[in-house]
Amino acid sequence: MPTTHEATATWQGDLQTGKGTVSLKSGALRQAATSWKERTEGTGTEGATSPEELLAAAHASCFSMALSARVVTFGPLPGGGNGVSSSALSVRASAPGLTAEKLRELAEDAAKNCPLSKALEGNVAISVQSALV
């Protein structure tokens, strides 16, 4: 049976100077600040998040259910405007009998078959790196 996941977002002001918040129905994230500055500069110094950071967290958590993950890049697109251009997944793993080749195979399969990877396919460049630790 399909499940529905909900989030709410608010925004006040114009795009560049406005401020907003995002909350998850689960309560795991409550009234997290969002701003255009954080979205375009991504420094984390403002204590705010961005849709791209939330996408990175979602993609990482989806991928990590099979392995591990992390980075989403936001910036100018070749056709103009801004958007998510890439997601770089990285896994470091240690398991008895695990070879570097098998880890690479598993990581590539997880990156290809994670539901969020499938949602991003054809729109965002997805790369995966793996290393034994």
Side-chain angles (χ1 to χ4, degrees):
M1 170 190 257
T3 59
T4 301
H5 302 278
E6 297 178 31
T8 59
T10 62
W11 190 262
Q12 295 180 353
D14 64 26
L15 179 61
Q16 293 184 345
T17 62
K19 302 283 183 196
T21 62
V22 62
S23 298
L24 305 179
K25 182 179 180 183
S26 68
L29 185 67
R30 294 183 184 155
Q31 299 294 308
T34 59
S35 71
W36 179 251
K37 182 176 181 180
E38 182 58 35
R39 187 172 194 184
T40 57
E41 296 177 18
T43 64
T45 59
E46 305 247 326
T49 190
S50 68
E52 293 72 30
E53 184 176 43
L54 296 170
L55 178 62
H59 201 188
S61 65
C62 178
F63 181 77
S64 69
M65 288 181 182
L67 294 170
S68 178
R70 188 163 171 207
V71 181
V72 170
T73 303
F74 174 82
L77 296 173
N82 290 304
V84 174
S85 58
S86 68
S87 184
L89 307 170
S90 176
V91 60
R92 296 171 24 124
S94 175
L98 182 63
T99 65
E101 184 174 325
K102 184 63 175 177
L103 175 58
R104 180 188 54 76
E105 178 185 316
L106 293 169
E108 288 177 0
D109 182 69
K112 180 180 177 183
N113 293 303
C114 157
L116 283 173
S117 291
K118 288 184 176 193
L120 296 172
E121 187 176 8
N123 297 306
V124 173
I126 298 174
S127 62
V128 63
Q129 293 182 333
S130 60
L132 289 175
V133 292

